[in-house]
Amino acid sequence: MPTKAMQDKNKQLGTPVSRIDGLAKVTGKATYSTDFQVNNLAYGVLFKSTIAAGTIRSIDTDAAEKAPGVLAVITHKNAPKLNVNGGLRGGALLQSPDVEFYGQHIGVVVAETFEQARHASRLIRVEYDQREPKVDFARLASTATLPKDKEKADAKRGDAKTTLSAAAFKVEEVYSTPIEHHHPLEPHATIAEWNGDHVTLYNSSQIVNGAQKAAANTLHIKPDQVRIVSPFIGGGFGSKGGQWANLVLTAVAAKQVNRPVKLALTRQQMVNSVGMRQHNLQTVGLAATEDGKLTALSHEIITHAAINNEFVEPCGDCSKIMYDVPNSLITYRVAPMNLIMPTYTRGPGKSTGSFALESAMDEMAYKLKMDPIEFRIKNEPERDPSTGKPWSSRKTVECLRAGAEAFGWAKRKPEPRQNQQGNYLIGYGVAAGTYPAHQQPTSAIVKLKRTGNDVTATIELAAADLGTGTYTILTQTAADALDLPIQHVKVILGDSDLPPAAGSVGSVGATSYANAVHDACEKITDELVTRSGKQFFARPTAYQMMLAEKLTEYKTRADVKPLASAEDYSAHSFNANFAEVAVNALTGMVRVNRFLAVTGAGTILNPKTARSQIIGGTVWGIGMALTEESVVDPRWGNFVTRSFADYHVPANLDIGELDAIFIREDDQKANKMGMKGIGEVGIVGVAAAVANAVFNATGKRVRDLPITPDKLL
């Protein structure tokens, strides 16, 4: 049997294990939503409105219905009655002739082949009674009102406005972030297959059980009549967190033609089918004493939502907790628009809000003639300013200090335009960031099987792997807890028939899943010890007990909830971001030469997959700073950036040297394993660091993202 020294030597957690599912993905064996082999498959194609506001006067489907291969054309005239409040996002369920945004689903064609369905969809003729659409945010911003969400009510501490008006040193500026789209590598798609009154939906779902409940509620059936199968997800970034109309419309189509149906969104349909990050106007005011102590902070956000559905990303969250300031004001105002409902997008609220806050902090530091790192450290809070709770742990200062040393911050010249190399102006910028750390209830089953002296384990839970390495870290977690080689552990995820689990959203996935798997493995070990009726001087492992008791099979289930004591603390991941940019003095083109992300996120289960997460967030943050923008035509309400081809994201040649450092952090207050999550925090603060570096390079402060050459020349 393995000794304690051997167990420690073979420890998997904390080591850079390559992705368990990597081979399946690169060889095409991983099954994504449209890869499942289903017999007698038909194909669905959505057709969409070409106005942003109005009513369908008539819809002529005769030619489409007579086209070769067509099995059904479904519109509001013949669609079944669905529950529009069932939990799907964005409406567009074919329940009425009303049109609320350009590109709204107004029908589905089902045919023998995709090509036949697409051809028939173009034969449909629609006449509208149009209304003047609300699609010009610049005009509507002045009409924005208080959101319905009570959590977005004005948050006041002290008197920020009076303090700001009387301050000798203050910054009051408006920062603008545009609409952005998710554009995951795998577009949203579903295969629906009915068996009596039960339906199986092969569908990429960041929250497997959430998709199950939403589909069931919308279809007027019970959750146990819906099975969601989602073992692999080709990206989602929030767009596959809440499910959209296409999920249920596929099930409706399959029911109507009495055979399985596959419905995949095209790249063009993605921009107005599955949400987006909304346009935010953020007015940030800072007041400080001459020696750099903040006295007031105001963060006032104006944004937009759908006409009949509200979602407001929490741009003020970072401003609530990042700095010690006695007078604070956070407000939200929202304008309904004839656009699809916004939704969660990576680092929701924190990535956009940190751009405004951390840019303003840089502006204030410059005005005070202080180093921006020292300015931040001077205003480091001992407790969460918004709640008064102690931090479970907070490593912002360590992130800033370690990052400054590793990045070579001391070489930075505080005055802009002091560092030129040929035609390029070189600048350095810094920004901090944060994201909450939460654990959610999750269940897991552990099954052990012995053959001779070999013991294997199967771990089952309805978790989601968004491409972040969930299979790998859970395999590592179980291998350590059960005392098994990593190759003897198999993890099965992404099926609502498995024990319920949290979603892979909001940086709760890894924490919730790993703690559940760890507790399940501890439980099965305890049960095996109890079952043996023996006493041990040292606690044996599950592997040892299976051999000693000559068991061939054993299984158990654990239903794990967050620590009750976690509510007594404010738990967050924190980071510091450092950017070096080169701005061409002749063309205004900006390139990020170097970027360093330093993160304090508790226990790092796998440094390799964790680094990949941070690097991915960094690249997206650079895109947010320099290239990403979805443009709405203010006349019609359609997106001028019509697909991924029109949407500019950084390519390999646009990205310079990237690096990621993790600060050692042992935080047992947030959860048993001391994890904090890194998927979201990796993008927070990145855009601000780039923007601050651009100012240091050029002396021009760009407060309206993205930072394009026209704004610098």
Side-chain angles (χ1 to χ4, degrees), residues 121-390:
S121 71
R122 295 171 179 173
L123 300 178
I124 295 166
R125 297 294 174 258
V126 184
E127 294 183 355
Y128 303 95
D129 291 322
Q130 295 192 51
R131 293 190 300 271
E132 183 71 23
K134 296 181 178 180
V135 291
D136 190 340
F137 181 59
R139 291 172 53 193
L140 293 168
S142 61
T143 68
T145 57
L146 195 68
K148 298 173 185 176
D149 183 356
K150 293 182 179 179
E151 291 188 3
K152 301 297 190 300
D154 294 355
K156 300 179 181 179
R157 189 173 66 251
D159 189 345
K161 287 295 186 181
T162 300
T163 307
L164 273 166
S165 64
F169 294 90
K170 59 185 174 182
V171 169
E172 291 182 283
E173 299 291 349
V174 178
Y175 303 87
S176 176
T177 56
I179 292 174
E180 298 173 0
H181 275 89
H182 308 80
H183 289 304
L185 186 63
E186 176 203 23
H188 292 232
T190 306
I191 297 175
E193 183 177 25
W194 287 90
N195 182 9
D197 59 358
H198 288 64
V199 63
T200 298
L201 298 168
Y202 303 94
N203 178 80
S204 292
S205 308
Q206 290 179 235
I207 311 176
V208 173
N209 298 114
Q212 178 189 32
K213 292 174 184 176
N217 290 341
T218 306
L219 290 166
H220 299 289
I221 58 180
K222 297 177 181 179
D224 61 9
Q225 292 174 267
V226 176
R227 181 187 179 195
I228 301 292
V229 180
S230 181
F232 296 97
I233 304 174
F237 318 113
S239 70
K240 295 174 184 173
Q243 289 297 314
W244 301 81
N246 59 287
L247 172 71
V248 162
L249 291 180
T250 310
V252 167
K255 192 74 167 177
Q256 187 131 335
V257 301
N258 196 30
R259 58 191 281 192
V261 169
K262 177 189 293 188
L263 194 159
L265 297 182
T266 66
R267 284 291 175 193
Q268 289 79 10
Q269 291 174 340
M270 287 287 290
V271 299
N272 48 31
S273 295
V274 291
M276 64 205 175
R277 194 197 296 279
Q278 59 218 112
H279 187 166
N280 297 299
L281 291 176
Q282 305 175 65
T283 302
V284 176
L286 297 177
T289 59
E290 186 175 3
D291 65 348
K293 195 71 182 74
L294 285 171
T295 58
L297 186 160
S298 67
H299 194 159
E300 299 167 282
I301 299 110
I302 300 176
T303 188
H304 58 89
I307 287 294
N308 292 315
N309 287 288
E310 184 179 279
F311 172 84
V312 178
E313 67 169 336
C315 297
D317 277 6
C318 290
S319 295
K320 287 182 179 180
I321 72 165
M322 278 303 294
Y323 301 109
D324 182 21
V325 54
N327 301 287
S328 172
L329 173 66
I330 313 292
T331 70
Y332 296 89
R333 298 295 182 267
V334 59
M337 290 180 64
N338 289 108
L339 294 176
I340 191 171
M341 182 181 176
T343 192
Y344 303 98
T345 311
R346 192 171 192 174
K350 287 72 169 176
S351 52
T352 43
S354 65
F355 166 67
L357 173 65
E358 293 297 303
S359 294
M361 288 291 290
D362 197 72
E363 295 200 47
M364 178 61 85
Y366 182 73
K367 185 170 286 191
L368 293 168
K369 296 184 174 8
M370 285 186 68
D371 182 276
I373 291 178
E374 297 307 317
F375 178 49
R376 287 171 171 83
I377 292 174
K378 190 177 185 72
N379 291 284
E380 175 76 357
E382 293 184 4
R383 288 173 169 259
D384 184 334
S386 67
T387 64
K389 291 181 179 181

Side-chain angles (χ1 to χ4, degrees), residues 16 38 91 99 128 140 169 220 272 277 302 322 422 433 444 464 473 502 513 519 530 536 542 546 589 592 625 692:
V38 178
V99 175
Y128 303 95
L140 293 168
F169 294 90
H220 299 289
N272 48 31
R277 194 197 296 279
I302 300 176
M322 278 303 294
I473 61 171
Y513 305 155
D519 281 13
T530 301
F536 299 89
M546 289 292 289
M589 290 294 295
V592 177
N692 294 338

